Amino acid sequence: SVFDSLAGAKIPWLDSIERTSALWSRTEMHKLLMGLGDPDLGLSDRLIVPATIPFGGAGRDFKGKVPLIVKSNAACGVSFSHKMIIVRTEEPVDLDPALESCYNEYRDLVVQDYIDHDGHETKVYCIGDAIHVSKRRLGTLDKGEDPGPITVFDSLEAKSRSPGDPGGGYYPVSEEDRAILCECGKWLRNKLGVHLFGFDALKARGSGKIAIIDVNYFPSFKGIPEARSDLHRVITSQLS
């Protein structure tokens, strides 16, 4: 593959292919995130790591598992990594049209627990030693709209449709949540050994626990004014 050929190339890397490999696959990413449940970290009682298992195409028995989200196992490098299917019913349902719409013939898929959240997503951006936290509202259904048993959506488009506000669409993060997210960022940075990454978190409705749903290499750093200077600092210090 391209990744394999680049891994052996004698060129300077800010973050090597080997170190970022855990973020290419959502199943591998889940194994990584399970480490946050280590009691010694003191975070397990405030965190949720949604179960992520291979999609069982044959039979598709969702009893006791809904609501759930179907995602591509490929977390990056493909055009459909942000396309997802929410399944809300245990009754037999024909998923083939939705699968074809999202993934064409690709079927290396995973099923992840759906987190009933407060309508906001928190993005945590790690640039070297700096950790930035940004919270924004997710796109929502119109009031009274029935979502139906299956919802197909693109997570990037859902964010772009999010309603703005006088604050530019960004919302404050509590100091308690910020502290937990920063601890997660530090742990992931040390575990991965990479300089540029981010992760997405939701706040579960009811329990108030934080669910980490995805980790991304070299995210957009959108809404982070310090990103330009932080990136310059990291790149020059590592590659000079």
Side-chain angles (χ1 to χ4, degrees):
S1 71
V2 173
F3 285 134
D4 290 335
S5 63
L6 287 175
K10 293 183 179 179
I11 57 178
W13 287 100
L14 183 62
D15 290 318
S16 70
I17 292 293
E18 291 87 350
R19 289 185 176 182
T20 60
S21 61
L23 307 183
W24 305 347
S25 152
R26 287 190 165 102
T27 50
E28 292 303 308
M29 189 187 303
H30 180 257
K31 294 176 186 177
L32 169 72
L33 291 173
M34 289 298 291
L36 287 167
D38 184 341
D40 291 339
L41 296 177
L43 298 171
S44 58
D45 62 337
R46 289 300 317 279
L47 290 179
I48 299 172
V49 177
T52 303
I53 60 174
F55 173 73
R60 299 171 187 171
D61 180 7
F62 297 143
K63 287 200 173 185
K65 302 173 186 175
V66 297
L68 56 83
I69 299 183
V70 179
K71 302 180 178 181
S72 64
N73 190 29
C76 61
V78 293
S79 61
F80 46 74
S81 62
H82 296 283
K83 293 187 176 180
M84 306 177 186
I85 305 167
I86 300 177
V87 180
R88 298 182 176 86
T89 178
E90 295 183 345
E91 299 302 317
V93 62
D94 183 8
L95 277 180
D96 288 335
L99 294 172
E100 178 68 22
S101 170
C102 288
Y103 311 114
N104 294 320
E105 296 180 358
Y106 176 93
R107 289 297 180 272
D108 182 13
L109 306 171
V110 297
V111 173
Q112 188 178 81
D113 289 343
Y114 175 83
I115 302 298
D116 184 21
H117 54 82
D118 65 359
H120 297 83
E121 180 184 60
T122 302
K123 310 281 289 188
V124 181
Y125 298 116
C126 301
I127 310 173
D129 292 334
I131 300 178
H132 303 282
V133 181
S134 175
K135 183 177 179 180
R136 55 189 168 184
R137 187 167 180 178
L138 294 170
T140 56
L141 294 171
D142 293 332
K143 190 174 182 180
E145 183 179 349
D146 181 4
I150 298 175
T151 300
V152 176
F153 73 104
D154 185 308
S155 62
L156 289 182
E157 290 181 4
K159 291 165 192 173
S160 68
R161 292 196 304 268
S162 301
D165 65 4
Y170 295 92
Y171 295 76
V173 179
S174 72
E175 288 304 313
E176 182 181 9
D177 288 351
R178 184 182 297 273
I180 293 169
L181 292 166
C182 285
E183 284 301 312
C184 292
K186 292 175 186 176
W187 184 87
L188 287 168
R189 182 178 61 211
N190 292 334
K191 192 73 174 177
L192 291 166
V194 299
H195 299 86
L196 306 174
F197 70 96
F199 59 93
D200 305 335
L202 302 173
K203 195 158 187 178
R205 196 187 304 275
S207 70
K209 291 187 176 183
I210 294 172
I212 299 179
I213 56 173
D214 256 325
V215 186
N216 314 286
Y217 182 69
F218 211 140
S220 70
F221 304 117
K222 184 178 179 181
I224 306 299
E226 305 89 345
R228 184 184 180 92
S229 59
D230 284 348
L231 281 168
H232 183 268
R233 173 178 49 80
V234 169
I235 292 170
T236 53
S237 66
Q238 293 298 316
L239 300 183
S240 60

